[in-house]
Amino acid sequence: MKKDRKVVLVGTGFVGMSMAYSFLSTGGVDELVLIDVDTEKSIGETMDLQHGLPYARQNMVIKAGGYEECANAEVVVITAGIAQKPEQTRLDMTATNTKIMKSIVENIMASGFDGILVIASNPVDLMSYVAQKVSKLPPHRVIGSGTILDTARLRYLMSEYLGISSTNIHALIMGEHGDSSFVPWTHAYIGTKNLLEYLDEEGRDLQDLNEIYHQVQRAAYEIINRKKATYYGIGLSLNRLVHAILDDENAILTLSVLQNNEFNQEGLYIGVPAQINKQGIQKIIKFELNAVDQAKFNLSVNTLKEIITSTIDPILENASTL
């Protein structure tokens, strides 16, 4: 195993700490540094994790620190930002979290950081756009968690419905990590068999799967209404993403990636399947969307572009002229 696999986490809320705690079970990280605007909380969280190290998968250095710790980190994960409230959409948080993200990224880059930025703060597609603009890092090294969790939710629910292991369900959610996402069903497979063919042979109705998608779409709202926040699923999803980077996996995950006409759109971050390794995004996995799915993708893009134009760009431009 490569030594000095250093990960810095900015934001010690429920999401960040769910990811941090998961590393004790999975290993794969040599050093984990926690940064938070509330330094006492980051120290307390560090102590709590350290006390579990005797039972962890591997030994690691866990400590609280400042932004100077980013200088030699391979990966910096940002989860900081205001939390989503019941019935509040992710897009509702844009203005406040844009300002928070800008400040965080400026501090990270001032350290001399030259690794990979992973963004999980919501709205994640827009915050990934902000992070890349502010950091000026190459786009392939600024990555949003995108629809990685949405896709996991979809695969889990499909597995329950079809009675097939989720590892053999190859389906994904594309677009915004939010209300305008969609499933390209014509590119979904059960093992090596096209999903639509499988459903036809089994006498099952695609409408049942559309209902499953709606459950995925509403999942965060349902969880937040019941327990005020969602964090275990995204924490494990971030663990998976960080391992794909550190282990140089060339894994294909649905991530928020800068578009360059791979799906007939450009200039923004949005959830698509992408190959990822220790260099960051190796490439976006392109395929032909049918007319219906292309229209859904365009709608998702336009939803985000409108927010970029009306809210994000003015904040970034005004800040640059101060």
Side-chain angles (χ1 to χ4, degrees), residues 1-7 27-33 58-62 74 246:
M1 179 186 294
K2 181 179 181 295
K3 294 300 181 183
D4 301 319
R5 292 153 61 102
K6 181 176 181 179
V7 175
V29 173
D30 294 322
E31 184 174 354
L32 176 64
V33 182
Q58 70 169 75
N59 192 27
M60 68 180 78
V61 174
I62 303 175
E74 291 190 57
L246 295 178

Side-chain angles (χ1 to χ4, degrees), residues 16-313:
M17 292 315 301
S18 293
M19 181 198 74
Y21 174 73
S22 73
F23 285 129
L24 272 68
S25 295
T26 64
V29 173
D30 294 322
E31 184 174 354
L32 176 64
V33 182
L34 309 184
I35 299 175
D36 198 281
V37 65
D38 183 345
T39 55
E40 287 301 308
K41 185 175 190 304
S42 64
I43 293 170
E45 295 286 8
T46 297
M47 294 172 64
D48 206 1
L49 290 177
Q50 289 171 335
H51 298 165
L53 282 173
Y55 306 119
R57 180 71 177 269
Q58 70 169 75
N59 192 27
M60 68 180 78
V61 174
I62 303 175
K63 61 184 180 181
Y67 284 102
E68 69 279 358
E69 291 285 351
C70 299
N72 62 343
E74 291 190 57
V75 180
V76 172
V77 181
I78 304 175
T79 63
I82 60 169
Q84 186 177 355
K85 299 176 182 177
E87 294 308 317
Q88 182 184 43
T89 71
R90 297 176 181 93
L91 297 180
D92 291 336
M93 304 181 285
T94 300
T96 300
N97 278 350
T98 293
K99 296 171 185 176
I100 294 172
M101 182 61 64
K102 178 179 181 297
S103 176
I104 289 171
V105 173
E106 287 174 341
N107 286 323
I108 291 170
M109 298 311 297
S111 74
F113 174 71
D114 194 35
I116 294 175
L117 272 181
V118 171
I119 312 300
S121 307
N122 275 320
V124 68
D125 305 292
L126 298 174
M127 293 305 101
S128 301
Y129 172 89
V130 171
Q132 196 281 318
K133 288 292 185 182
V134 175
S135 70
K136 297 182 174 56
L137 286 170
H140 69 275
R141 289 203 276 128
V142 179
I143 304 162
S145 55
T147 52
I148 188 173
L149 174 57
D150 310 70
T151 294
R153 288 168 170 160
L154 176 69
R155 291 173 58 200
Y156 167 74
L157 291 172
M158 287 178 64
S159 172
E160 291 290 293
Y161 172 68
L162 296 172
I164 293 175
S165 170
S166 60
T167 60
N168 298 119
I169 293 176
H170 308 293
L172 69 155
I173 288 186
M174 292 178 63
E176 172 207 359
H177 174 52
D179 297 337
S180 65
S181 64
F182 70 98
V183 184
W185 292 116
T186 58
H187 294 281
Y189 291 84
I190 303 300
T192 59
K193 193 172 190 65
N194 181 274
L195 172 66
L196 301 184
E197 293 180 10
Y198 179 86
L199 292 177
D200 185 61
E201 290 179 1
E202 294 292 314
R204 294 177 183 260
D205 191 346
L206 179 61
Q207 184 56 42
D208 293 338
L209 292 184
N210 284 327
E211 177 55 34
I212 285 175
Y213 162 69
H214 290 303
Q215 291 180 43
V216 173
Q217 188 184 42
R218 292 290 306 171
Y221 299 115
E222 294 291 337
I223 294 170
I224 291 168
N225 284 338
R226 286 172 168 81
K227 54 174 279 189
K228 309 305 180 187
T230 167
Y231 38 90
Y232 297 135
I234 185 60
L236 287 167
S237 298
L238 290 171
N239 179 302
R240 177 71 189 93
L241 172 52
V242 170
H243 273 91
I245 296 168
L246 295 178
D247 296 339
D248 198 25
E249 287 187 21
N250 284 300
I252 296 174
L253 301 171
T254 47
L255 304 170
S256 192
V257 182
L258 186 67
Q259 298 300 288
N260 189 27
N261 279 316
E262 292 84 1
F263 293 95
N264 302 316
Q265 296 286 350
E266 62 180 349
L268 82 162
Y269 276 73
I270 198 166
V272 295
Q275 179 183 341
I276 184 168
N277 57 27
K278 66 181 179 181
Q279 304 302 323
I281 297 298
Q282 181 69 18
K283 63 181 177 181
I284 290 174
I285 306 301
K286 298 187 291 185
F287 51 84
E288 191 74 22
L289 293 174
N290 62 30
V292 172
D293 288 341
Q294 185 67 57
K296 291 177 180 178
F297 189 71
N298 293 344
L299 174 64
S300 203
V301 165
N302 291 337
T303 298
L304 295 173
K305 280 189 171 180
E306 182 179 342
I307 302 295
I308 289 172
T309 301
S310 65
T311 303
I312 292 178
D313 282 347

